[in-house]
Amino acid sequence: MKATSSSSALLMQAQGNPGGGKKKKGGGPPGLIKPSITDTMKLNVYADNWFMLYVNGRLVAVDPIQFTPHNVVSVDFLPEYPMTIAVLAKDNADPKTGLEYGSSIGDGGFVLKFADGTVTNASWKAKSFFHGPINGDTANPQVKQELLPANWWGVDFDDSTWKNAKEYTVEEVDPKQPYFENDFEGAKFIWTDDLALDNTILFRTRIEKSEWKQRWNTKPDLDVTGAPLK
């Protein structure tokens, strides 16, 4: 009799019996407006060789392939304006010599396009934090490195002293096939002044859209602060 009673109680709870204490999921207070998938937009990113992308201080995309094959990363995200974009981009280079494949000098390149028309170009800020081999010396390679500044991905980070990025042609960067299969129309490949010897770059820009109004009135409760620096 006791076993039968317990089994019946469990069955009633599994079926959502009100007496079983099962709480209705979702919903919210009256007047609550949540963002929907139609509020999101797509971004495309191609990096030679790797990147991390932040929007308004939140990590949005990371290249899942550290080296090769080169790939295009496409994700949907929820935009909010003004929009601060911060990127860590790395060319493949040995941290002690600046060389790739043991004896060669590589070159970088980064390009991005958002569905709202945001693209990479010379208006972005760029700063190198890893340069080498100095003077292109492959026989006695030496490098110059700086630590990445704290909160470089933050909205309130001061990049006012950084130089503007330099634009490069598709021919100069020589992207691989996935690039040509995706929409990068209007976007320019960018890097610092030295495409070959600057190996770790931070890019930043701010996108204003005065006519934009947030449709939803909710905000996340979860804490996703903190970011890896490697």
Side-chain angles (χ1 to χ4, degrees), residues 178-222:
Y179 166 80
F180 299 99
E181 298 172 354
N182 291 269
D183 178 19
F184 288 102
E185 183 177 359
K188 303 294 184 180
F189 274 101
I190 58 172
W191 207 251
T192 56
D193 290 340
D194 199 327
L195 188 66
L197 300 183
D198 285 344
N199 304 309
T200 296
I201 313 297
L202 290 182
F203 296 107
R204 287 177 57 90
T205 195
R206 180 180 171 92
I207 307 300
E208 302 281 354
K209 187 173 286 191
S210 58
E211 72 278 11
W212 182 81
K213 292 183 179 179
Q214 183 172 299
R215 188 189 64 81
W216 56 95
N217 58 13
T218 57
K219 62 180 181 179
D221 297 311
L222 72 166

Short mmCIF file of all heavy atoms in Angstrom, two decimals, residues 178-222:
data_model
loop_
_atom_site.label_atom_id
_atom_site.label_comp_id
_atom_site.label_asym_id
_atom_site.label_seq_id
_atom_site.Cartn_x
_atom_site.Cartn_y
_atom_site.Cartn_z
N PRO A 178 36.74 30.06 -48.07
CA PRO A 178 35.50 30.40 -47.35
C PRO A 178 35.18 31.89 -47.38
O PRO A 178 34.01 32.28 -47.32
CB PRO A 178 35.79 29.92 -45.92
CG PRO A 178 36.80 28.85 -46.10
CD PRO A 178 37.66 29.27 -47.24
N TYR A 179 36.20 32.73 -47.48
CA TYR A 179 35.98 34.17 -47.53
C TYR A 179 35.11 34.55 -48.72
O TYR A 179 34.18 35.35 -48.59
CB TYR A 179 37.32 34.90 -47.62
CG TYR A 179 37.20 36.36 -48.02
CD1 TYR A 179 36.85 37.32 -47.09
CD2 TYR A 179 37.41 36.75 -49.34
CE1 TYR A 179 36.73 38.66 -47.45
CE2 TYR A 179 37.28 38.08 -49.71
CZ TYR A 179 36.93 39.02 -48.77
OH TYR A 179 36.79 40.34 -49.15
N PHE A 180 35.36 33.99 -49.86
CA PHE A 180 34.66 34.35 -51.09
C PHE A 180 33.23 33.81 -51.13
O PHE A 180 32.42 34.26 -51.94
CB PHE A 180 35.44 33.85 -52.31
CG PHE A 180 36.82 34.44 -52.41
CD1 PHE A 180 37.92 33.73 -51.98
CD2 PHE A 180 37.01 35.71 -52.94
CE1 PHE A 180 39.20 34.27 -52.07
CE2 PHE A 180 38.27 36.27 -53.03
CZ PHE A 180 39.37 35.54 -52.60
N GLU A 181 32.91 32.88 -50.25
CA GLU A 181 31.58 32.29 -50.22
C GLU A 181 30.64 33.03 -49.27
O GLU A 181 29.49 32.66 -49.13
CB GLU A 181 31.67 30.82 -49.79
CG GLU A 181 32.49 29.95 -50.76
CD GLU A 181 32.74 28.57 -50.21
OE1 GLU A 181 32.38 28.32 -49.04
OE2 GLU A 181 33.31 27.74 -50.94
N ASN A 182 31.12 34.09 -48.63
CA ASN A 182 30.32 34.82 -47.65
C ASN A 182 30.25 36.30 -48.00
O ASN A 182 31.03 36.80 -48.81
CB ASN A 182 30.92 34.63 -46.25
CG ASN A 182 30.76 33.22 -45.73
OD1 ASN A 182 29.78 32.90 -45.07
ND2 ASN A 182 31.72 32.35 -46.03
N ASP A 183 29.31 37.00 -47.37
CA ASP A 183 29.07 38.40 -47.69
C ASP A 183 30.02 39.31 -46.91
O ASP A 183 29.85 39.51 -45.71
CB ASP A 183 27.62 38.77 -47.36
CG ASP A 183 27.32 40.24 -47.63
OD1 ASP A 183 28.09 40.87 -48.39
OD2 ASP A 183 26.32 40.74 -47.09
N PHE A 184 31.02 39.86 -47.61
CA PHE A 184 31.90 40.87 -47.05
C PHE A 184 31.91 42.12 -47.93
O PHE A 184 32.84 42.92 -47.87
CB PHE A 184 33.32 40.33 -46.91
CG PHE A 184 33.48 39.31 -45.80
CD1 PHE A 184 33.54 37.95 -46.08
CD2 PHE A 184 33.54 39.71 -44.47
CE1 PHE A 184 33.69 37.03 -45.07
CE2 PHE A 184 33.67 38.79 -43.45
CZ PHE A 184 33.75 37.44 -43.75
N GLU A 185 30.86 42.29 -48.72
CA GLU A 185 30.80 43.43 -49.63
C GLU A 185 30.88 44.74 -48.84
O GLU A 185 30.15 44.96 -47.88
CB GLU A 185 29.51 43.39 -50.44
CG GLU A 185 29.42 44.50 -51.47
CD GLU A 185 28.17 44.42 -52.32
OE1 GLU A 185 27.37 43.47 -52.13
OE2 GLU A 185 27.97 45.31 -53.16
N GLY A 186 31.78 45.62 -49.26
CA GLY A 186 31.96 46.90 -48.61
C GLY A 186 32.94 46.89 -47.46
O GLY A 186 33.37 47.95 -47.00
N ALA A 187 33.30 45.72 -46.97
CA ALA A 187 34.26 45.61 -45.86
C ALA A 187 35.68 45.56 -46.40
O ALA A 187 35.94 44.98 -47.45
CB ALA A 187 33.97 44.37 -45.03
N LYS A 188 36.60 46.15 -45.66
CA LYS A 188 38.01 46.17 -46.03
C LYS A 188 38.83 45.33 -45.06
O LYS A 188 38.55 45.31 -43.86
CB LYS A 188 38.56 47.61 -46.02
CG LYS A 188 37.79 48.57 -46.92
CD LYS A 188 37.94 48.20 -48.39
CE LYS A 188 37.27 49.23 -49.28
NZ LYS A 188 37.39 48.89 -50.72
N PHE A 189 39.84 44.65 -45.59
CA PHE A 189 40.79 44.00 -44.70
C PHE A 189 41.58 45.09 -43.98
O PHE A 189 42.01 46.07 -44.59
CB PHE A 189 41.75 43.11 -45.49
CG PHE A 189 41.22 41.73 -45.73
CD1 PHE A 189 40.68 41.39 -46.97
CD2 PHE A 189 41.26 40.77 -44.74
CE1 PHE A 189 40.18 40.11 -47.20
CE2 PHE A 189 40.77 39.49 -44.96
CZ PHE A 189 40.23 39.16 -46.18
N ILE A 190 41.77 44.92 -42.68
CA ILE A 190 42.53 45.90 -41.91
C ILE A 190 43.62 45.22 -41.09
O ILE A 190 43.55 44.03 -40.79
CB ILE A 190 41.62 46.74 -40.98
CG1 ILE A 190 40.85 45.84 -40.00
CG2 ILE A 190 40.68 47.61 -41.79
CD1 ILE A 190 40.08 46.62 -38.93
N TRP A 191 44.62 46.01 -40.72
CA TRP A 191 45.71 45.60 -39.83
C TRP A 191 46.41 46.89 -39.40
O TRP A 191 45.88 47.98 -39.63
CB TRP A 191 46.67 44.66 -40.56
CG TRP A 191 47.42 43.69 -39.69
CD1 TRP A 191 48.76 43.71 -39.39
CD2 TRP A 191 46.90 42.54 -39.01
NE1 TRP A 191 49.10 42.66 -38.58
CE2 TRP A 191 47.97 41.92 -38.33
CE3 TRP A 191 45.62 41.99 -38.90
CZ2 TRP A 191 47.80 40.78 -37.55
CZ3 TRP A 191 45.45 40.85 -38.13
CH2 TRP A 191 46.53 40.25 -37.47
N THR A 192 47.56 46.77 -38.81
CA THR A 192 48.38 47.96 -38.54
C THR A 192 49.17 48.30 -39.80
O THR A 192 48.95 47.72 -40.86
CB THR A 192 49.35 47.68 -37.39
OG1 THR A 192 50.12 46.52 -37.73
CG2 THR A 192 48.61 47.43 -36.08
N ASP A 193 50.13 49.23 -39.67
CA ASP A 193 50.95 49.61 -40.82
C ASP A 193 51.85 48.49 -41.30
O ASP A 193 52.32 48.50 -42.43
CB ASP A 193 51.83 50.83 -40.48
CG ASP A 193 51.02 52.10 -40.31
OD1 ASP A 193 49.87 52.14 -40.81
OD2 ASP A 193 51.52 53.04 -39.68
N ASP A 194 52.11 47.51 -40.43
CA ASP A 194 53.03 46.42 -40.79
C ASP A 194 52.27 45.10 -40.83
O ASP A 194 52.09 44.44 -39.80
CB ASP A 194 54.19 46.35 -39.80
CG ASP A 194 55.38 45.58 -40.35
OD1 ASP A 194 55.16 44.63 -41.13
OD2 ASP A 194 56.52 45.94 -40.00
N LEU A 195 51.83 44.72 -41.99
CA LEU A 195 51.04 43.49 -42.17
C LEU A 195 51.86 42.24 -41.88
O LEU A 195 51.32 41.22 -41.46
CB LEU A 195 50.49 43.43 -43.60
CG LEU A 195 49.49 42.33 -43.93
CD1 LEU A 195 48.20 42.51 -43.15
CD2 LEU A 195 49.20 42.30 -45.43
N ALA A 196 53.17 42.31 -42.11
CA ALA A 196 54.02 41.13 -41.98
C ALA A 196 54.58 40.92 -40.58
O ALA A 196 54.62 39.78 -40.09
CB ALA A 196 55.18 41.22 -42.98
N LEU A 197 54.99 41.99 -39.90
CA LEU A 197 55.74 41.83 -38.65
C LEU A 197 54.93 42.07 -37.39
O LEU A 197 55.35 41.67 -36.30
CB LEU A 197 56.97 42.74 -38.66
CG LEU A 197 57.97 42.49 -39.80
CD1 LEU A 197 59.17 43.42 -39.65
CD2 LEU A 197 58.41 41.03 -39.84
N ASP A 198 53.79 42.75 -37.49
CA ASP A 198 52.91 42.91 -36.33
C ASP A 198 52.00 41.69 -36.23
O ASP A 198 51.25 41.40 -37.17
CB ASP A 198 52.08 44.20 -36.45
CG ASP A 198 52.90 45.44 -36.17
OD1 ASP A 198 54.01 45.30 -35.60
OD2 ASP A 198 52.46 46.54 -36.53
N ASN A 199 52.08 41.00 -35.11
CA ASN A 199 51.45 39.68 -35.02
C ASN A 199 50.23 39.60 -34.09
O ASN A 199 49.42 38.69 -34.24
CB ASN A 199 52.48 38.65 -34.54
CG ASN A 199 53.70 38.60 -35.44
OD1 ASN A 199 53.58 38.48 -36.65
ND2 ASN A 199 54.88 38.72 -34.86
N THR A 200 50.12 40.50 -33.14
CA THR A 200 48.96 40.53 -32.24
C THR A 200 48.41 41.94 -32.23
O THR A 200 49.12 42.88 -31.84
CB THR A 200 49.34 40.10 -30.82
OG1 THR A 200 49.76 38.74 -30.83
CG2 THR A 200 48.13 40.22 -29.88
N ILE A 201 47.15 42.09 -32.64
CA ILE A 201 46.55 43.40 -32.82
C ILE A 201 45.26 43.50 -32.02
O ILE A 201 44.48 42.55 -31.95
CB ILE A 201 46.21 43.67 -34.31
CG1 ILE A 201 47.40 43.30 -35.21
CG2 ILE A 201 45.77 45.12 -34.51
CD1 ILE A 201 48.63 44.12 -34.97
N LEU A 202 45.03 44.68 -31.43
CA LEU A 202 43.72 45.01 -30.88
C LEU A 202 43.07 46.04 -31.80
O LEU A 202 43.70 47.02 -32.19
CB LEU A 202 43.84 45.59 -29.47
CG LEU A 202 44.27 44.63 -28.36
CD1 LEU A 202 44.28 45.37 -27.02
CD2 LEU A 202 43.35 43.41 -28.28
N PHE A 203 41.82 45.78 -32.15
CA PHE A 203 41.01 46.71 -32.96
C PHE A 203 39.83 47.18 -32.11
O PHE A 203 39.26 46.40 -31.34
CB PHE A 203 40.45 46.02 -34.21
CG PHE A 203 41.47 45.54 -35.19
CD1 PHE A 203 41.73 44.19 -35.33
CD2 PHE A 203 42.16 46.43 -36.00
CE1 PHE A 203 42.66 43.73 -36.25
CE2 PHE A 203 43.09 45.98 -36.92
CZ PHE A 203 43.34 44.63 -37.04
N ARG A 204 39.44 48.43 -32.32
CA ARG A 204 38.26 48.95 -31.63
C ARG A 204 37.54 49.96 -32.52
O ARG A 204 38.18 50.68 -33.30
CB ARG A 204 38.64 49.62 -30.30
CG ARG A 204 39.05 48.66 -29.20
CD ARG A 204 39.47 49.42 -27.94
NE ARG A 204 38.42 50.30 -27.48
CZ ARG A 204 37.47 49.95 -26.61
NH1 ARG A 204 37.43 48.72 -26.12
NH2 ARG A 204 36.57 50.82 -26.20
N THR A 205 36.22 50.02 -32.37
CA THR A 205 35.43 51.06 -33.02
C THR A 205 34.13 51.23 -32.26
O THR A 205 33.74 50.37 -31.45
CB THR A 205 35.15 50.72 -34.49
OG1 THR A 205 34.68 51.89 -35.18
CG2 THR A 205 34.09 49.62 -34.63
N ARG A 206 33.44 52.33 -32.51
CA ARG A 206 32.15 52.62 -31.88
C ARG A 206 31.15 52.99 -32.97
O ARG A 206 31.44 53.86 -33.80
CB ARG A 206 32.29 53.76 -30.88
CG ARG A 206 30.99 54.14 -30.15
CD ARG A 206 31.26 55.29 -29.18
NE ARG A 206 30.05 55.86 -28.61
CZ ARG A 206 29.50 55.47 -27.47
NH1 ARG A 206 30.06 54.48 -26.78
NH2 ARG A 206 28.41 56.05 -26.99
N ILE A 207 30.01 52.33 -32.96
CA ILE A 207 28.98 52.54 -33.97
C ILE A 207 27.79 53.26 -33.34
O ILE A 207 27.20 52.77 -32.37
CB ILE A 207 28.52 51.19 -34.58
CG1 ILE A 207 29.72 50.39 -35.10
CG2 ILE A 207 27.50 51.44 -35.68
CD1 ILE A 207 30.52 51.10 -36.17
N GLU A 208 27.48 54.42 -33.88
CA GLU A 208 26.33 55.20 -33.40
C GLU A 208 25.13 54.96 -34.32
O GLU A 208 25.29 54.80 -35.53
CB GLU A 208 26.67 56.69 -33.38
CG GLU A 208 27.88 57.05 -32.53
CD GLU A 208 27.57 57.10 -31.05
OE1 GLU A 208 26.38 56.97 -30.69
OE2 GLU A 208 28.51 57.29 -30.26
N LYS A 209 23.96 54.93 -33.76
CA LYS A 209 22.73 54.83 -34.55
C LYS A 209 21.63 55.54 -33.77
O LYS A 209 20.87 54.92 -33.03
CB LYS A 209 22.38 53.37 -34.85
CG LYS A 209 21.21 53.22 -35.81
CD LYS A 209 21.01 51.76 -36.21
CE LYS A 209 22.05 51.28 -37.20
NZ LYS A 209 21.70 49.96 -37.79
N SER A 210 21.57 56.86 -33.95
CA SER A 210 20.68 57.69 -33.13
C SER A 210 19.20 57.34 -33.31
O SER A 210 18.40 57.54 -32.38
CB SER A 210 20.91 59.16 -33.47
OG SER A 210 20.68 59.41 -34.85
N GLU A 211 18.85 56.81 -34.47
CA GLU A 211 17.44 56.50 -34.72
C GLU A 211 17.00 55.17 -34.10
O GLU A 211 15.81 54.85 -34.06
CB GLU A 211 17.17 56.47 -36.22
CG GLU A 211 17.74 55.26 -36.97
CD GLU A 211 19.21 55.40 -37.34
OE1 GLU A 211 19.85 56.35 -36.85
OE2 GLU A 211 19.70 54.57 -38.12
N TRP A 212 17.97 54.39 -33.60
CA TRP A 212 17.64 53.07 -33.05
C TRP A 212 16.98 53.20 -31.68
O TRP A 212 17.41 53.99 -30.84
CB TRP A 212 18.90 52.23 -32.91
CG TRP A 212 18.65 50.83 -32.40
CD1 TRP A 212 18.22 49.76 -33.11
CD2 TRP A 212 18.83 50.36 -31.06
NE1 TRP A 212 18.13 48.65 -32.31
CE2 TRP A 212 18.49 48.99 -31.03
CE3 TRP A 212 19.25 50.97 -29.87
CZ2 TRP A 212 18.57 48.22 -29.89
CZ3 TRP A 212 19.31 50.21 -28.72
CH2 TRP A 212 18.97 48.85 -28.73
N LYS A 213 15.91 52.44 -31.47
CA LYS A 213 15.24 52.38 -30.18
C LYS A 213 15.07 50.91 -29.79
O LYS A 213 14.63 50.09 -30.59
CB LYS A 213 13.87 53.06 -30.25
CG LYS A 213 13.94 54.57 -30.45
CD LYS A 213 12.56 55.20 -30.43
CE LYS A 213 12.65 56.71 -30.60
NZ LYS A 213 11.30 57.35 -30.60
N GLN A 214 15.40 50.62 -28.57
CA GLN A 214 15.29 49.24 -28.08
C GLN A 214 13.82 48.85 -27.96
O GLN A 214 13.06 49.54 -27.29
CB GLN A 214 16.00 49.12 -26.73
CG GLN A 214 15.99 47.71 -26.17
CD GLN A 214 16.87 47.59 -24.95
OE1 GLN A 214 18.07 47.82 -25.01
NE2 GLN A 214 16.27 47.23 -23.82
N ARG A 215 13.45 47.75 -28.60
CA ARG A 215 12.06 47.31 -28.60
C ARG A 215 11.69 46.60 -27.29
O ARG A 215 10.55 46.69 -26.83
CB ARG A 215 11.83 46.35 -29.78
CG ARG A 215 10.36 45.96 -30.00
CD ARG A 215 10.24 44.86 -31.04
NE ARG A 215 10.87 43.63 -30.61
CZ ARG A 215 10.31 42.74 -29.78
NH1 ARG A 215 9.11 42.97 -29.28
NH2 ARG A 215 10.96 41.63 -29.45
N TRP A 216 12.65 45.92 -26.67
CA TRP A 216 12.37 45.13 -25.49
C TRP A 216 12.71 45.92 -24.23
O TRP A 216 13.48 46.89 -24.26
CB TRP A 216 13.16 43.82 -25.53
CG TRP A 216 14.64 44.01 -25.68
CD1 TRP A 216 15.59 44.05 -24.70
CD2 TRP A 216 15.36 44.20 -26.92
NE1 TRP A 216 16.83 44.24 -25.22
CE2 TRP A 216 16.73 44.34 -26.58
CE3 TRP A 216 14.99 44.27 -28.26
CZ2 TRP A 216 17.72 44.55 -27.55
CZ3 TRP A 216 15.97 44.47 -29.23
CH2 TRP A 216 17.31 44.61 -28.87
N ASN A 217 12.12 45.52 -23.10
CA ASN A 217 12.37 46.24 -21.85
C ASN A 217 12.95 45.31 -20.79
O ASN A 217 12.82 45.56 -19.59
CB ASN A 217 11.10 46.91 -21.34
CG ASN A 217 9.97 45.91 -21.10
OD1 ASN A 217 10.19 44.71 -21.10
ND2 ASN A 217 8.75 46.42 -20.91
N THR A 218 13.59 44.25 -21.22
CA THR A 218 14.22 43.31 -20.29
C THR A 218 15.73 43.41 -20.39
O THR A 218 16.27 43.94 -21.36
CB THR A 218 13.80 41.86 -20.62
OG1 THR A 218 14.15 41.58 -21.98
CG2 THR A 218 12.33 41.66 -20.42
N LYS A 219 16.39 42.89 -19.40
CA LYS A 219 17.85 42.80 -19.43
C LYS A 219 18.26 41.49 -18.76
O LYS A 219 17.52 40.95 -17.92
CB LYS A 219 18.50 43.98 -18.72
CG LYS A 219 18.16 44.10 -17.24
CD LYS A 219 18.84 45.31 -16.62
CE LYS A 219 18.54 45.42 -15.13
NZ LYS A 219 19.22 46.58 -14.52
N PRO A 220 19.43 40.97 -19.11
CA PRO A 220 19.83 39.67 -18.54
C PRO A 220 20.15 39.79 -17.05
O PRO A 220 20.64 40.82 -16.58
CB PRO A 220 21.07 39.30 -19.35
CG PRO A 220 21.60 40.60 -19.85
CD PRO A 220 20.41 41.46 -20.09
N ASP A 221 19.88 38.73 -16.33
CA ASP A 221 20.21 38.65 -14.91
C ASP A 221 21.51 37.88 -14.68
O ASP A 221 22.12 37.98 -13.64
CB ASP A 221 19.09 37.97 -14.13
CG ASP A 221 17.78 38.76 -14.19
OD1 ASP A 221 17.84 39.98 -13.94
OD2 ASP A 221 16.74 38.17 -14.49
N LEU A 222 21.92 37.07 -15.69
CA LEU A 222 23.11 36.27 -15.51
C LEU A 222 24.37 37.12 -15.64
O LEU A 222 24.40 38.10 -16.37
CB LEU A 222 23.15 35.12 -16.53
CG LEU A 222 23.43 35.43 -18.00
CD1 LEU A 222 23.76 34.15 -18.73
CD2 LEU A 222 22.24 36.12 -18.67
#
